[in-house]
Amino acid sequence: MALILNDRVKETSTSAGTGDITLAGAVNGFESFQAGIISPNTTYYTISEQGTNDWEVGIGTLSAATTLERTTVLTSSNSDALVNFNTSGTSTLNVFCTLPASKAIYLDAAGSPVGAAGTGFAVAMAIAL
């Protein structure tokens, strides 16, 4: 099992509660998690509930072609805990692959590498080189 990132991976779901997400197929113009991530790999995900302010960013495992396990929540609208999405299951969730800011390594305005929250990476990179 590997951590996989991919562009333009987005599906919908009507899953409710705090459990696994059953994916309902790729949104037009995007590819499915199975095509872009491939089970049983892990990925960073975002889930947002349409018409609400409920959202979650985390690490998930694609345990089957249409099942995303919410393994680790990184941030959310529920004080960074699992979000209990519409318990009636009548809302639509947008579920997509993402790269959380807290996991990103990037260049600052001067072109120097930095890690999440601007700390640590430059020193670690210098030691590694």
Side-chain angles (χ1 to χ4, degrees):
M1 172 169 33
L3 177 68
I4 305 294
L5 298 177
N6 207 339
D7 298 326
R8 303 196 56 76
V9 173
K10 182 177 181 181
E11 298 197 43
T12 60
S13 176
T14 55
S15 295
T18 59
D20 297 348
I21 300 295
T22 300
L23 302 166
V27 172
N28 191 29
F30 293 84
E31 65 182 352
S32 69
F33 275 79
Q34 181 60 22
I37 304 305
I38 306 169
S39 63
N41 292 314
T42 60
T43 193
Y44 298 119
Y45 70 83
T46 295
I47 304 169
S48 63
E49 187 171 359
Q50 293 180 10
T52 75
N53 292 321
D54 293 335
W55 57 271
E56 180 179 299
V57 176
I59 302 169
T61 301
L62 190 64
S63 62
T66 61
T67 304
L68 181 67
E69 296 176 1
R70 296 152 72 184
T71 311
T72 304
V73 176
L74 300 173
T75 58
S76 78
S77 59
N78 185 30
S79 301
D80 299 338
L82 281 168
V83 174
N84 186 9
F85 290 108
N86 186 331
T87 56
S88 68
T90 59
S91 293
T92 299
L93 306 177
N94 293 315
V95 186
F96 55 93
C97 184
T98 192
L99 177 59
S102 65
K103 300 296 183 182
I105 298 170
Y106 55 94
L107 300 178
D108 67 13
S112 299
V114 295
T119 62
F121 180 73
V123 172
M125 186 65 164
I127 291 169
L129 296 174

